[in-house]
Amino acid sequence: TAPNFDCNVLNSPWGEIQVTNESLTDHVFADVELWADKPSLTCGISGRSYDYGMMRMMIDRCASGLIAALSLQPGDRIGLILPNLPEFAVLIHGAMRAGLVVTFANPLYTADEMKRQFSDCHVKAIATIEMFMPVAQEVSKALKDYKGTIWVGGDDDKTKGIFGLRSLVMADHKADLPTVNADDVCLIPYSSGTTGMPKGVMLTHKNLVSNLKQVMCPKIMKYGGEKGQCEVVLTVPPFFHIYGFNGILNYNLRLGYHIVSMPKFTPEDYIKCLVQYKPSTLFVVPSLLAFLGTHPMVTKEHLQSVETIMVGAAPTTDSILEKFLLKCQKTKDQVRLLQGYGMTESSPVSLMTPYVYPHGKVGSVGQLVCSTQGRVVSLTDGRALPPHQAGELWLRGPQVMKGYWNNEAATKETVDSEGWLHTGDVAYYDEEHYFYIVDRTKELIKVKGNQVSPTEIESIIMEMPEVADVAVVGMPDHLAGELPKAFVVLKPRGQLTEKQVYDFVAQKLTKYKHLEGGVAFLDAIPRNAAGKIMRNELKVLGKNR
Ligand code: AYL
């Protein structure tokens, strides 16, 4: 019989949200008067903190300054090279309030990595701190029509085109702030999607606001809907990733919570923050949860105040969860371990465990968030599958990106004409519509929650004159999740050691992309008839070499 594509389409059990025309900044600070004198964002290391009223004022002044002093126009792109500091929120919302489009980079990227991203989306201004000024200056030289650098924590040096954030805000420029259209793109984070090099993901105000509403449902998060409580949230995942930015920063600012964040993770500082701020909620990635459960310095007293832990961005194993519960000696009712699943391309959250969910669903990433549809599609015949059969997960909802920046072909491959986002993840669901992620068909490697594109590493290794062919795959690792491993084919007279390949990559790419999974030499890379690398075969091979 012909496959019926209409059956086995699942809807969210939590109903619908109203999609509105607010800008992201207006939505995030909609209730700011209610908690104007409460702390918004505190740096867990320096203690520097702004209350909500101050934060909101700085954002508007920053927006005016960007227009008046740097002559930036609505639609221009601005690049952020900033760790998790309170000023991150000032700059990103200031830029969005000014109608600019933000792209953010990991500050630990090499200049090459940043140049590729910032020139790809034509960045016209960069904001950074002293530590990353040299790299920002180098990157800015590669950018056309560059308007200037905003220096967080520094002073003006107009001869060099440098604008100190403090004086930009203090000057209180009076610029007409544009009316923001909710369908405009405001953020372009980078993701490699299902294949190839990192690409700009175009997210609109509507995408990001919708996703905040989609998870702010009382059954999903304990506090969803109960705004302005004195919740203290401790968080490490970077704001320069969509999970950190929308899932953590905007989500908690919307609710008036006190966010304590760290620009750099060390066990000592993290424990100090647990003791000093007594957070009720922790936002983590699996490797951080593993740290809490296994590190000898962490005691159950440190975790006394913690009631909720939100974990996402990569698969979490049962053993990580169990070790954590053992460490804090609490029951699953005393500390809620919530999981979320998502992608940069979906703003990011699409699946979430409810706050109170039946035990026995360990390992599930939850149910479809509000206004989201899902289907699991057979890898062999494209049918939408019934419960307990694994296939590719497709998602549809208002949080799905507008498309990839300047890349229609990749957009068409990822979001089909009916609006379904093809995730490249292999999943199944049970009778109660809880989803489980079991594998990936896409090439993506996840190292401690960070995206690593095999294509990017492969293209670097191919620059070595001795190399004839190469393939990079992710090898399982109990702490990092996965680690990249390279299989290299040398040219007939080419000679290289494993260390030479490792070092070459290490020079050009940031640390989490280094070949910690190893380097192995092969006579040939296994490819299928179409020339596609057979990555699963390499993963099996990788275990034995
Ligand atoms: P990107 N379990 C397994 N794999 C996951 C999970 C999870 N809970 N979350 C993300 N992934 C993988 O764009 C999956 O392969 O966004 C997915 O396609 O960097 C890919 O990571 C997307 O990687 C949250 C917290 C979503 C985090 C996120 C993840 C954003 C990561 C919702 O509440």
Side-chain angles (χ1 to χ4, degrees):
T1 56
N4 179 352
F5 289 104
D6 289 321
C7 69
N8 297 327
V9 170
L10 274 54
N11 288 301
S12 167
W14 297 310
E16 305 289 311
I17 58 150
Q18 212 180 346
V19 178
T20 50
N21 283 318
E22 295 156 282
S23 75
L24 181 62
T25 307
D26 284 349
H27 179 74
V28 166
F29 293 99
D31 291 327
V32 71
E33 285 80 25
L34 301 179
W35 42 75
D37 58 348
K38 300 257 182 68
S40 62
L41 189 49
T42 298
C43 172
I45 293 180
S46 70
R48 193 168 65 265
S49 184
Y50 302 114
D51 65 34
Y52 271 92
M54 175 68 101
M55 172 72 75
R56 180 72 241 223
M57 188 188 78
M58 288 170 75
I59 286 168
D60 284 346
R61 287 181 169 205
C62 175
S64 293
L66 291 169
I67 293 174
L70 280 92
S71 325
L72 291 162
Q73 312 253 322
D76 283 350
R77 264 77 62 199
I78 181 171
L80 265 48
I81 308 177
L82 289 174
N84 284 16
L85 297 171
E87 291 76 12
F88 188 104
V90 175
L91 265 153
I92 197 161
H93 281 291
M96 288 180 176
R97 183 65 197 86
L100 306 181
V101 180
V102 177
T103 191
F104 37 49
N106 186 327
L108 299 180
Y109 273 0
T110 64
D112 283 352
E113 287 168 294
M114 272 184 220
K115 270 185 215 167
R116 207 177 311 125
Q117 178 177 334
F118 284 10
S119 51
D120 182 63
C121 67
H122 311 296
V123 159
K124 289 194 177 168
I126 292 176
T128 193
I129 55 171
E130 181 169 18
M131 187 191 265
F132 306 112
M133 211 43 159
V135 78
Q137 297 290 73
E138 191 187 332
V139 172
S140 70
K141 287 194 197 109
L143 301 171
K144 267 192 269 169
D145 205 11
Y146 191 71
K147 307 272 193 196
T149 308
I150 299 115
W151 185 3
V152 176
D155 295 321
D156 287 347
D157 185 348
K158 299 265 167 64
T159 57
K160 290 191 183 140
I162 293 172
F163 300 79
L165 176 66
R166 192 179 308 113
S167 63
L168 199 70
V169 167
M170 295 292 274
D172 197 12
H173 293 281
K174 299 279 182 256
D176 285 334
L177 296 178
T179 322
V180 173
N181 180 341
D183 287 310
D184 286 346
V185 174
C186 62
L187 185 68
I188 308 189
Y190 274 65
S191 162
S192 60
T194 49
T195 179
M197 296 288 276
K199 294 171 275 292
V201 175
M202 294 191 288
L203 298 176
T204 65
H205 292 272
K206 214 174 247 179
N207 290 147
L208 294 161
V209 170
S210 294
N211 202 229
L212 290 172
K213 294 184 171 185
Q214 288 174 302
V215 296
M216 243 168 250
C217 149
K219 290 218 176 98
I220 301 181
M221 293 297 272
K222 177 185 170 196
Y223 313 112
E226 270 180 61
K227 299 169 196 147
Q229 299 203 146
C230 296
E231 297 299 333
V232 180
V233 174
L234 177 60
T235 179
V236 177
F239 298 151
F240 51 80
H241 181 272
I242 191 69
Y243 172 38
F245 176 57
N246 212 33
I248 303 176
L249 180 64
N250 290 337
Y251 175 83
N252 290 293
L253 288 176
R254 175 70 191 94
L255 294 171
Y257 298 165
H258 179 193
I259 306 167
V260 179
S261 181
M262 299 169 64
K264 185 172 180 286
F265 174 82
T266 68
E268 293 78 9
D269 286 326
Y270 193 82
I271 292 168
K272 222 177 73 194
C273 285
L274 285 171
V275 173
Q276 183 176 347
Y277 294 101
K278 304 195 174 18
S280 62
T281 307
L282 308 180
F283 282 79
V284 302
V285 294
S287 49
L288 185 64
L289 192 61
F291 153 79
L292 290 172
T294 56
H295 200 284
M297 273 171 66
V298 181
T299 66
K300 80 174 208 282
E301 285 73 28
H302 293 144
L303 298 164
Q304 204 91 72
S305 60
V306 177
E307 295 167 358
T308 309
I309 299 192
M310 180 68 221
V311 47
T316 314
T317 62
D318 297 354
S319 112
I320 290 182
L321 298 175
E322 276 158 23
K323 284 194 180 120
F324 174 79
L325 289 171
L326 211 63
K327 169 67 69 93
C328 66
Q329 294 186 10
K330 290 190 186 183
T331 65
K332 285 179 182 166
D333 295 314
Q334 291 166 322
V335 57
R336 297 281 172 185
L337 283 159
L338 308 181
Q339 281 217 60
Y341 160 93
M343 288 170 74
T344 309
E345 287 81 348
S346 64
S347 304
V349 191
S350 292
L351 294 164
M352 192 104 122
T353 53
Y355 190 72
V356 179
Y357 70 98
H359 297 311
K361 302 277 186 196
V362 181
S364 170
V365 292
Q367 300 178 290
L368 294 160
V369 298
C370 297
S371 291
T372 302
Q373 292 184 304
R375 74 202 312 192
V376 167
V377 176
S378 162
L379 298 178
T380 48
D381 61 12
R383 254 179 336 125
L385 296 169
H388 293 291
Q389 295 188 31
E392 187 184 12
L393 174 63
W394 291 10
L395 295 162
R396 181 158 74 178
Q399 74 273 48
V400 172
M401 65 167 177
K402 191 163 176 176
Y404 290 113
W405 168 256
N406 262 348
N407 197 334
E408 213 169 300
T411 304
K412 279 198 174 136
E413 262 174 44
T414 309
V415 185
D416 66 25
S417 58
E418 288 173 28
W420 288 102
L421 172 68
H422 300 200
T423 66
D425 288 307
V426 181
Y428 71 88
Y429 57 90
D430 64 19
E431 288 81 3
E432 288 154 300
H433 295 184
Y434 281 76
F435 283 76
Y436 300 79
I437 307 290
V438 291
D439 198 4
R440 237 178 251 147
T441 55
K442 59 184 165 192
E443 301 165 356
L444 177 68
I445 301 170
K446 277 253 150 164
V447 181
K448 295 191 174 178
N450 295 299
Q451 281 207 8
V452 177
S453 147
T455 312
E456 185 178 22
I457 306 179
E458 285 159 10
S459 74
I460 301 276
I461 297 175
M462 281 307 287
E463 288 172 17
M464 299 182 89
E466 299 85 353
V467 173
D469 200 2
V470 63
V472 171
V473 298
M475 300 304 298
D477 178 82
H478 70 288
L479 276 184
E482 286 177 291
L483 291 171
K485 174 166 186 155
F487 293 89
V488 178
V489 180
L490 293 173
K491 285 183 183 159
R493 266 174 299 280
Q495 280 196 343
L496 281 178
T497 61
E498 292 166 17
K499 182 166 185 310
Q500 281 173 310
V501 177
Y502 177 94
D503 289 346
F504 190 76
V505 171
Q507 240 176 52
K508 306 227 169 188
L509 297 176
T510 194
K511 195 158 186 340
Y512 66 82
K513 300 179 187 173
H514 296 182
L515 296 167
E516 300 302 342
V519 176
F521 294 100
L522 290 181
D523 293 334
I525 301 292
R527 288 174 187 275
N528 69 11
K532 237 184 125 196
I533 297 169
M534 293 160 83
R535 293 179 192 274
N536 282 340
E537 232 168 79
L538 286 171
K539 282 187 193 178
V540 175
L541 197 67
K543 283 188 191 140
N544 310 318
R545 305 198 39 153

